[in-house]
Amino acid sequence: MTTKTPPATASSPLSKAPSRPVVALLSTHLDMDFMRGPLQKKLPEAEIRKWPDEDVSDADFAVCWRPPHGVMAGMPRLRLLHSIAAGVDNILADPELPDLPVCRVVDENHARGMAEYVLWSVLYFHRRFDSVLRRQAEGVWAPPRQRAAGEVTVGIMGWGNLGRSVGGALRAFGYNVRGWARTPREVPDIEFFAGVSEREAFLRGTDILICLLPLTDETNGILNAGLFASLPEGAALVNIGRGEQLNEADLLAALDAGHLRGAVLDVFAQEPLPPESPLWAHPRVVVTPHIASTADPRTIADQISTNIRRILAGEALVNEVDRRRGY
Ligand code: NDP
């Protein structure tokens, strides 16, 4: 069923398009209907269609979350591929992806949500709620030694829109914060490390490791036995980047050997996490169902419609990713 739309207004760049622009909602994992209303409100002149229920072959713009591989190659009118999320790995993974601009969502509230999730995870390990909850299950009263936030070093891998927000929130709570990214930079109050050559030094002093990297060829499988061995004994892991970055078998081995004391995991190579995964019941693992942070659909629609209007007006796009770099 196609959506009824009000007539175009003379002032809108969309009204200058040769025909009514068609926006395709593409996902193999999500019912993208939740984006229909917010997008239609922002783009009253556009026709919004959802794959696979509706024909999207003549769409001008693709709005994606884990889009089906090969479908966009058969959409000759496409001009822009837009993620509904901060990450674009799920779009770039399409081997037949048309050579078009790819944009993502960058939002302050999204970053604040991520900071909340990480703050909870860091407090969970720092204040030893992990061990307190295990002892409660055994009916044991055993107060663990408490440390000040300033005695704990949190290392953040990935210092982008989300990593920066997380780092600021942790600093405000008094934690020692260190960051690691591809390129070096000076950040007040943050010890900064860059590139493969400084990774070892970054890890060696990290008590709680936060992974907020985009998924690329370089970061795929980065959370592995070698990396865990570089962390001090008793370190903890929080993975909120992408599941493919984590070697689950290596994590389980590091936990069972007592080298790592715990992990909070929000993302998994296979989502939903299969019922037979040993991570579900592991006493040192917290599993959350990819909820660390999402942008509000109205914000997503706002950013997508801005880029659609910009492309129609011949203006530069915002939040365009570097396809060669992968983020
Ligand atoms: P950005 O693109 O803004 O930042 C990415 C950061 O990662 C940059 O600092 C970049 O370095 C660094 N980086 C990339 N590749 C490497 C590498 N090979 N080595 C070292 N550093 C590297 O991304 P965001 O902060 O917006 O988002 C990060 C990721 O978080 C997303 O791609 C997504 O996978 C994940 N995410 C997870 C969510 C969840 O709910 N769990 C929700 C939203 C996002 P440099 O600055 O030098 O370029």
Side-chain angles (χ1 to χ4, degrees):
M1 196 187 77
T2 50
T3 317
K4 281 213 174 99
T5 54
T9 57
S11 59
S12 155
L14 282 180
S15 63
K16 297 183 193 123
S19 58
R20 214 163 88 158
V22 176
V23 177
L25 304 175
L26 304 176
S27 179
T28 51
H29 278 66
L30 258 188
D31 183 348
M32 295 280 271
D33 260 335
F34 76 99
M35 283 307 304
R36 228 187 246 277
L39 271 173
Q40 195 71 80
K41 203 165 170 190
K42 289 284 174 187
L43 300 166
E45 309 90 348
E47 195 175 323
I48 298 172
R49 301 192 202 142
K50 187 179 78 168
W51 176 91
D53 312 353
E54 294 163 274
D55 176 23
V56 293
S57 58
D58 59 344
D60 304 278
F61 306 101
V63 170
C64 311
W65 171 252
R66 299 199 187 191
H69 289 180
V71 167
M72 285 185 275
M75 297 163 71
R77 279 177 45 168
L78 271 188
R79 300 178 66 181
L80 170 69
L81 320 178
H82 213 300
S83 171
I84 60 163
V88 293
D89 50 286
N90 63 92
I91 299 176
L92 300 182
D94 182 348
E96 296 172 64
L97 199 66
D99 187 15
L100 291 169
V102 177
C103 294
R104 69 192 192 106
V105 171
V106 176
D107 173 47
E108 246 179 65
N109 289 328
H110 190 10
R112 199 167 301 132
M114 196 53 96
E116 288 165 2
Y117 183 96
V118 173
L119 215 42
W120 180 89
S121 307
V122 167
L123 285 165
Y124 175 74
F125 289 120
H126 156 220
R127 297 300 307 273
R128 302 199 171 264
F129 294 122
D130 56 341
S131 106
V132 167
L133 290 175
R134 279 196 299 271
R135 296 335 277 287
Q136 180 186 346
E138 297 158 4
V140 175
W141 180 279
R145 186 176 84 80
Q146 297 289 332
R147 291 184 294 170
E151 292 176 58
V152 177
T153 299
V154 184
I156 302 172
M157 301 178 93
W159 199 262
N161 181 51
L162 303 177
R164 279 194 302 275
S165 163
V166 166
L170 292 170
R171 271 301 299 152
F173 260 70
Y175 292 103
N176 288 318
V177 177
R178 46 175 57 192
W180 183 70
R182 225 164 40 92
T183 45
R185 71 206 70 189
E186 296 286 324
V187 187
D189 293 334
I190 308 285
E191 202 178 349
F192 215 87
F193 301 81
V196 176
S197 61
E198 293 180 10
R199 202 182 79 175
E200 183 75 17
F202 162 78
L203 294 168
R204 247 186 278 124
T206 291
D207 299 313
I208 302 175
L209 181 68
I210 314 295
C211 178
L212 254 174
L213 290 166
L215 180 63
T216 65
D217 289 345
E218 285 84 48
T219 68
N220 198 317
I222 194 169
L223 303 172
N224 57 30
L227 178 142
F228 299 143
S230 299
L231 290 168
E233 188 151 353
L237 171 72
V238 179
N239 189 22
I240 41 189
R242 285 287 180 260
E244 291 87 341
Q245 287 158 347
L246 174 66
N247 182 318
E248 291 180 3
D250 288 0
L251 172 67
L252 290 167
L255 290 169
D256 294 341
H259 182 64
L260 292 187
R261 76 176 246 237
V264 170
L265 308 176
D266 185 55
V267 286
F268 304 89
Q270 197 183 334
E271 292 180 7
L273 183 65
E276 64 277 12
S277 169
L279 295 170
W280 279 115
H282 197 285
R284 292 183 179 271
V285 176
V286 175
V287 168
T288 60
H290 203 142
I291 48 121
S293 185
T294 46
D296 185 284
R298 287 165 301 186
T299 304
I300 301 169
D302 191 43
Q303 297 196 5
I304 293 171
S305 62
T306 297
N307 270 332
I308 288 178
R309 289 181 195 287
R310 278 174 169 265
I311 216 165
L312 290 172
E315 293 167 7
L317 294 163
V318 288
N319 303 324
E320 184 175 355
V321 303
D322 179 339
R323 283 186 57 159
R324 267 177 316 124
R325 212 175 50 169
Y327 67 97

